[in-house]
Structure formats: C-alpha cells, structure tokens
Amino acid sequence: MFQQEMILPTVTSRDELIGAMKRRLSQDDRVGSADREVFLRRLSKYVGQLVTGLRAVYGQRPDFWDLAAASVLTAWDSFAERPEGLKELDVERESEPSWFMSRQAVGGVCYVDRYAGSIAGLRERIPYFKELGLNYLHLMPLYECPEGNSDGGYAVSSYRRVDPALGTMDDLAEFAEELRAEGIALVLDFVFNHTSNEHEWAKAAAAGDPFYEQFYWIYPDRTVPAQFEETAREIFPDDHPGVFTRVDATPAGRAASGLEEDPRWVWTTFHRFQWDLNYSNPAVFRAMATEMLFLANQGAQVLRLDAVAFIWKQLGTTCESQPQVHDLLRAFNAMVKLAAPAVEFKSEAIVHPDEVIRYIDTDQCTLSYNPLQMALGWEASATRKVALLQQAINERHTTPEGTAWVNYVRSHDDIGWTFSDDDAARVGVDGYDHRRFLNAFYTGRFQGSFAHGVAFQDNPRTGDCRICGTTASLMGLETEPGPAADRILLAYSLAMSTGGVPLIYLGDEVGQLNDPAWAENPDNSHDARWVHRPEYSRADYERRHDLFSVQGRIFGGIQRMISVRQQTEEFDGTRLIPFDTHNPHVLGYQRPGEHSVVLCLANFSDWSQYVTGETLSGFLPSGVELHGNGTVDLRGGILLDAHSFWWIRVIPVQQNAVRSRESAEKTV
C-alpha cells in the first residue's frame, strides 16, 4: 500500500530542490552517470512546470516543498526502473515530439476480451493491425476490476494487475514491446478520477484507516454531501441519486467496514462502486502519479485520461472543469516529462466546446478526443445538412501548436449532443429542440429514420437521452446496406482527413452490427452501451476481401482511405482552411501543403449535389482526385453522388501566382 515518506532534506526553493536532487542521485547506484545527467537535465527544464502546478493547488500548505521534493523522487524512482528500450524511445520522442501529427498516424481501439479473448489473442492479430494500416492501438481498460458490472472496466481495483482472464501485467509489457517493434504505439487508460471500492485503498478507507479515509471524499453523515449536491451534476440517476453513496451500499463496502449500516457517505460521481479520489489531499496526487508512471513503464505511449473534468471538487460549484483540474494536469504532465517523456496524454473531456479546448496544450494534454466533430458528423447524417458541422470545422478545429485532435466516428461510450446552444442559434437552430429530434432520429422514433440505435439514460418525459449503437447499425446497415455503407465511409472520410489521429473502433471497418444479445448478460442488461460492444465477428472479418459483400466494400473503402492518407503530404499536421461550397448539403475544407492543397468535399445528402465551377474558380482549372478518379476539370463544377466524398489536389490561383513570381525572380 502507498505510504508517505521523507527522503530529502527540507528545501524551500527550486534551486535548493535541484541541488538536493543532485546530491541524492549521486548516491543512487541504480543508474549510471549518463542517465543521472539525463534526469537532471529534464529536472532543470521541467521543475518550474511541476512546482507551479503543485503550488496552485497545494501552495498554502506548510509542507509544500516536502511534497514537491517527494514528487521529484517519485519521478526519479520510475525513471530508474524504466526499461532501456523505453529510455531509448524517450530520447527519440524528445527529438521528434509530434509523431502523432504525421499522416502515418492511424488508430484502432477495442476491448481485449471482446476483440481477441486475451492479450495472447491480440498478439495473433498484430499482422491484421498492420494490414489495416494502424500505428496506434488503444486497449480499453484491462485492469483488475470487480466481478460483474465494472462500468466496462472503468472501476479499477488495481492499476498494477491485469484482469486475470486476459493475462498478466508481464504479458501486457511484452505485447507493448512487440507492438513497438512493429511501429505501433500502445494506448492505455489512466482512470484517475476514481478507483473501484475494491481497490486496496478503498478497502482500507471503508475499514476506518484514517490515512486512506483521506484518499476519498468520505463524510460521517449527509450534511456536507447535501451541500455539494445542490450544485453538482447527477450523471447516472438510474444508478443512484445525487453524487454520494452510502459506504455500505455494496457488499464490498459492508465487508470492509464490518457494518451492515455504515452511516458514512462517499463521493461517487458515476457508479456507486466507483469512489472518487480526493485530490485536495496531496498524498493522492503522489499515489496516482506513482501508478501512472508504473503504466508508462509497461510500455504505454499514450495515456487516455478518463473523466478528467471531474477530478477537482469545490463546494458551491458544478465540480467540473475547475481551475485546479488544469493545475493538476500540468503537474502530472511534468512528472511524465521527467520520467517517461515518450508518453503523451489524451484528454477525455466531454464538456462544452469552449471548455474542451482548455485541456489541449503541450503542458496538459497534447491529444484530445474531438467530441464536437464526432457529434456533428452524426447530426449532419440525420439532417442531411452541414451548417453546424461546417461552423465547427471553420471555427473550432484549430488546436495549439504541438497538439492534435483524435477524430472518431464513435467510441465505446454513448453519443451525446455536445454542441453549444449559442453556436446552434447562429445557424438558426434551437439547441433544445434539435437534441430532441436527434434522439428521436437515432432511436428510430422519427418517421423515416434509417437508424437502429438504442437509448441510454432515457427520460421519456423530457425526450432526453444519449445514443448507443455500432456505426453500422446507426447508419442503417440492417435495412439499407448500400446507402449505409456509403454513409459509413463518408463518416470515416472526415476522421481521416480533417487533421489529427483518426481512430477506428475495431469492428466498424467490417460493418459489425449491434449485439442482439447485449441485454442477456445480467451484469450488462442495465447498460445499453453494451449494444455497441459486440464480440469479434469472425464471419464479418473473413468477408473483408470479398468486394461483392458489404463487409468487403466497407473494409476496402477504409483501407484505401488510410493508404491515400498516408501517401498525401498535405495530410501531415493539423492545419485546415475552411471552404464554402455554397451548397447546404456539401461540407468543404482544405488541407494545405507546400505547393498545393487538398480540397475535401463531402455530400451528406441522399441525392447527388453540385458544387459549381464558379465556387471552384479560386483554383487552377485542373485538379487530381486522389482516390483514383484521375484528372478533374474544375471549370464545369463537380457533381458528387449521394453520401460521397472527394479529395482533390488543387493549386489555388493566388498560390500559383506567387510561385510564378518567385520562379521569375530566380530566373532574373
């Protein structure tokens, strides 16, 4: 179990901290002098970020510098234990930090058990990952967790043990090494807002250990919890009202406390078996940093920071996206830069669009899910109009230098309509009514809908819910295989071409449908999200090369997209230039290169749509369609088939004029 200890003499400044560390490291024979110099160089560079982040949260404590010193030692211990191969990767990534912005970056995500049975099964699928073109593989939580319902693995009982049904932590580290040898980065979840109530810290807290009681938000009665619940949002009302749960609300809690009716209450933002960690206690920061760096040393190159917006609680607020969240992120980020700089953070902040961007920074998260583009891609598919999506791409695509979006069509989670009501109003849409329409459309309650979705957290009285379903089922593959396949490819064309890391939920690339038996498992029957987490379909994958099958059509289309993306230099980086198609059904944007741009057009209509020659007159008359359609004469305009997309390499007239002038000047 985690314990506090003081190893360094008391320091009172950054310089004293660095000096004390130099003396301490000189006595540590776990690494050689070269490694010591590497760590001290990083410490000089990043100690300011670490101290600033910690000071913003814990600076009023009299033991602040003890905490700072202990945190540096935590990073040092992890660095000293880091395998040599990962240290070599650290050096490589320090010289080339933005590998994820390359056009070569393409990701896949899966549950280990659902997709391959075990880690050993995944190893057998490495050739397939290479066939598809992946260099980034996100494994959904695979840690030890409670039996039965564990919120899909997001109730972690140990960060240091893999679910025994899947393998061991040694198996995971070996798999990470194999992936790395094949050029594939392993992505793991860092679930750091909460642990399961079966974690050893939670068991000790439930049993009354005063040290570990301070790891969680535990109160002796309902007085303070009631005050927090006046402003904190209720996330899963079907599981429990408010945000607090009785400590004895689960068998594990009763067993640990020894009480049938424990009067204490514990903060549980999500499920009653997920106990929120109390980061106002600096020991929690140190403990979780230790677990984070342990995962880094198993070979993770990206850590997905789960539920990041919730990690700081403040009475009288929503307890979401508080300033201290960002300070803690900077401190965690500095710890990684000290001990394992090859590791990137990926933010999972499904919050207001104005808030999402605040998590994206080289000192916080260099990667972030792009929930707005995801949700508005589905919105455009339902409405057949692109106003909201075009607005988002025009105004909310840019991220800070050195960072990138992770663009996805769907994830393991439900789909919520995260667009801003103010943004909607600017294009003449009432946000409240539009969300009701989208909910009705994707659950098949709207006449003429093609979708076969399932409601999650449904409120029939208000029409409020979130949407579940595989991409194929939400696009209507059960009843309209031809148009649905086109819609699927159209959706993935956005993820592949807008800039950042495109992420495929594995199974989508062969059109896997909803799991018809999802509710038969009593552990999952309460959670509709299991409908879009089907087990690996051998039959679908075996048909992926049959071009006359719908599986072959989808797989071939996505594989071709990946190939074209990886060969197209304009798709490097994240820069995007808006393009107005003057057609309400056709999305447009440009990806600029050194001498040309790729014009991307996407038709969300059920009918062919025309982009006029006048609209395209800013380019030279001739372009090249990158998917094999050859030379395109732009003067007569472009006719896009229903649900089709074009990637056209063109030269802007203005850019051509500049090139001509430069060429003339060189000749002179």
Side-chain angles (χ1 to χ4, degrees):
M1 299 177 76
F2 176 79
Q3 296 294 334
Q4 286 183 312
E5 55 186 343
M6 265 312 303
I7 306 173
L8 284 180
T10 299
V11 298
T12 59
S13 70
R14 298 177 189 178
D15 290 343
E16 288 183 9
L17 178 58
I18 293 173
M21 278 302 300
K22 285 182 178 178
R23 293 187 292 273
R24 172 68 177 78
L25 267 59
S26 68
Q27 304 166 12
D28 194 329
D29 60 3
R30 287 179 293 174
V31 302
S33 59
D35 272 353
R36 279 195 290 271
E37 289 304 314
V38 167
F39 186 85
L40 288 170
R41 173 180 56 78
R42 292 176 187 162
L43 182 62
S44 296
K45 186 174 182 180
Y46 298 116
V47 67
Q49 179 182 329
L50 176 63
V51 169
T52 300
L54 292 176
R55 193 198 300 274
V57 182
Y58 307 115
Q60 301 307 310
R61 295 177 60 96
D63 61 349
F64 167 72
W65 283 105
D66 290 345
L67 166 65
S71 297
V72 173
L73 282 176
T74 295
W76 165 252
D77 286 339
S78 177
F79 172 80
E81 297 166 2
R82 191 157 171 81
E84 285 302 316
L86 294 176
K87 287 183 178 178
E88 292 172 5
L89 182 65
D90 290 336
V91 173
E92 177 186 329
R93 289 289 163 76
E94 283 181 303
S95 63
E96 189 183 354
S98 299
W99 60 272
F100 49 84
M101 297 172 68
S102 165
R103 64 184 185 270
Q104 305 302 321
V106 178
V109 57
C110 66
Y111 275 100
V112 176
D113 57 338
R114 309 293 282 181
Y115 190 74
S118 65
I119 294 172
L122 275 181
R123 295 168 84 165
E124 297 176 2
R125 301 239 158 98
I126 290 176
Y128 171 73
F129 300 146
K130 297 198 68 173
E131 175 192 343
L132 182 57
L134 305 185
N135 69 352
Y136 167 118
L137 180 65
H138 177 187
L139 304 183
M140 299 301 294
L142 69 170
Y143 313 114
E144 188 174 86
C145 59
E147 292 185 8
N149 181 20
S150 64
D151 189 24
Y154 282 98
V156 177
S157 299
S158 173
Y159 299 91
R160 294 175 178 254
R161 292 190 293 273
V162 167
D163 179 348
L166 305 179
T168 67
M169 191 59 75
D170 286 343
D171 293 335
L172 181 62
E174 291 172 7
F175 179 59
E177 188 173 1
E178 286 188 47
L179 288 177
R180 193 163 64 251
E182 297 291 349
I184 302 173
L186 176 65
V187 185
L188 296 176
D189 279 86
F190 181 46
V191 185
F192 74 140
N193 174 70
H194 49 263
T195 71
S196 92
N197 64 333
E198 295 184 6
H199 193 285
E200 60 180 352
W201 304 340
K203 287 181 178 179
D209 184 314
F211 180 69
Y212 286 103
E213 275 190 309
Q214 299 303 310
F215 268 46
Y216 301 93
W217 295 87
I218 296 178
Y219 293 95
D221 55 40
R222 282 284 302 166
T223 304
V224 176
Q227 294 173 1
F228 272 112
E229 289 177 345
E230 288 180 6
T231 54
R233 182 163 59 106
E234 190 176 67
I235 303 297
F236 287 148
D238 289 354
D239 184 80
H240 65 281
V243 295
F244 279 85
T245 300
R246 286 278 289 269
V247 169
D248 63 9
T250 62
R254 288 193 293 275
S257 66
L259 300 172
E260 189 63 29
E261 294 188 4
D262 193 319
R264 294 174 298 169
W265 291 79
V266 60
W267 196 306
T268 55
T269 294
F270 300 104
H271 292 89
R272 63 186 66 199
F273 48 79
Q274 292 166 303
W275 288 14
D276 283 41
L277 289 159
N278 181 1
Y279 281 96
S280 67
N281 175 5
V284 170
F285 171 80
R286 275 197 61 207
M288 290 305 291
T290 302
E291 302 306 285
M292 173 187 73
L293 295 176
F294 173 82
L295 294 175
N297 279 357
Q298 306 316 300
Q301 295 184 45
V302 178
L303 290 174
R304 173 192 179 274
L305 303 187
D306 178 63
V308 62
F310 294 90
I311 66 172
W312 188 264
K313 280 70 169 165
Q314 188 76 40
L315 196 63
T317 73
T318 62
C319 299
E320 297 178 38
S321 292
Q322 297 303 300
Q324 292 89 341
V325 170
H326 301 281
D327 297 320
L328 286 167
L329 275 181
R330 294 183 185 98
F332 277 118
N333 181 293
M335 295 287 280
V336 160
K337 286 175 177 173
L338 289 173
V343 175
E344 306 290 344
F345 284 168
K346 177 170 65 172
S347 162
E348 190 253 356
I350 312 302
V351 292
H352 188 285
D354 291 339
E355 288 291 327
V356 172
I357 196 67
R358 294 181 57 216
Y359 292 89
I360 309 172
D361 188 89
T362 53
D363 288 345
Q364 294 188 66
C365 299
T366 49
L367 290 165
S368 173
Y369 286 106
N370 193 350
L372 184 61
Q373 181 172 305
M374 179 277 298
L376 293 181
W378 290 104
E379 186 272 345
S381 291
T383 63
R384 284 75 160 180
K385 294 184 178 180
V386 300
L388 273 172
L389 179 57
Q390 186 74 67
Q391 178 193 66
I393 283 178
N394 292 358
E395 300 177 5
R396 296 190 181 274
H397 174 79
T398 302
T399 63
E401 185 176 356
T403 68
W405 292 115
V406 173
N407 295 309
Y408 61 114
V409 175
R410 75 172 183 98
S411 71
H412 74 288
D413 223 336
D414 51 274
I415 298 172
W417 309 112
T418 59
F419 56 84
S420 157
D421 285 353
D422 291 338
D423 287 350
R426 287 194 291 122
V427 297
V429 172
D430 179 277
Y432 179 85
D433 288 343
H434 202 49
R435 290 185 182 89
R436 303 291 81 73
F437 157 71
L438 292 169
N439 287 336
F441 186 92
Y442 280 107
T443 54
R445 301 169 184 169
F446 187 84
Q447 187 174 0
S449 168
F450 51 70
H452 297 267
V454 178
F456 180 61
Q457 297 287 320
D458 193 13
N459 186 331
R461 181 177 60 83
T462 64
D464 188 32
C465 69
R466 300 195 292 276
I467 304 301
C468 300
T470 67
T471 296
S473 288
L474 290 177
M475 291 299 190
L477 194 68
E478 289 92 336
T479 51
E480 305 179 357
D486 291 338
R487 294 185 193 109
I488 293 167
L489 295 177
L490 177 64
Y492 270 102
S493 78
L494 267 66
M496 295 288 174
S497 63
T498 45
V501 181
L503 187 62
I504 302 168
Y505 194 98
L506 293 175
D508 275 8
E509 78 278 20
V510 292
Q512 276 199 254
L513 300 175
N514 287 344
D515 181 356
W518 70 271
E520 293 178 7
N521 183 337
D523 295 330
N524 302 336
S525 60
H526 65 287
D527 187 345
R529 291 174 297 180
W530 286 100
V531 74
H532 57 239
R533 302 170 185 172
E535 292 187 357
Y536 181 87
S537 173
R538 186 170 300 278
D540 285 332
Y541 276 92
E542 287 178 347
R543 300 191 70 186
R544 71 184 185 275
H545 296 306
D546 177 2
L547 298 182
F548 294 98
S549 70
V550 69
Q551 294 87 349
R553 184 175 171 191
I554 296 169
F555 178 82
I558 289 179
Q559 189 182 47
R560 175 63 177 154
M561 266 186 243
I562 293 171
S563 176
V564 172
R565 167 189 165 83
Q566 294 178 336
Q567 296 174 45
T568 303
E569 64 178 19
E570 291 90 342
F571 286 162
D572 273 327
T574 62
R575 190 176 169 219
L576 180 149
I577 300 172
F579 182 80
D580 187 353
T581 66
H582 301 290
N583 185 317
H585 307 286
V586 180
L587 183 72
Y589 48 94
Q590 305 168 72
R591 297 297 311 283
E594 185 177 359
H595 301 300
S596 59
V597 302
V598 171
L599 173 64
C600 300
L601 303 173
N603 176 19
F604 282 82
S605 172
D606 294 336
W607 306 94
S608 297
Q609 295 294 322
Y610 189 58
V611 178
T612 68
E614 182 180 6
T615 298
L616 301 170
S617 62
F619 305 111
L620 293 187
S622 180
V624 177
E625 207 291 311
L626 299 181
H627 276 80
N629 289 350
T631 302
V632 180
D633 187 342
L634 304 181
R635 291 170 296 184
I638 294 175
L639 184 67
L640 289 92
D641 291 338
H643 314 129
S644 69
F645 65 94
W646 284 33
W647 296 345
I648 315 165
R649 178 173 284 124
V650 293
I651 298 176
V653 171
Q654 184 177 7
Q655 185 170 326
N656 184 65
V658 171
R659 287 174 59 191
S660 298
R661 184 170 64 251
E662 290 174 347
S663 178
E665 289 171 352
K666 287 180 181 179
T667 302
V668 172

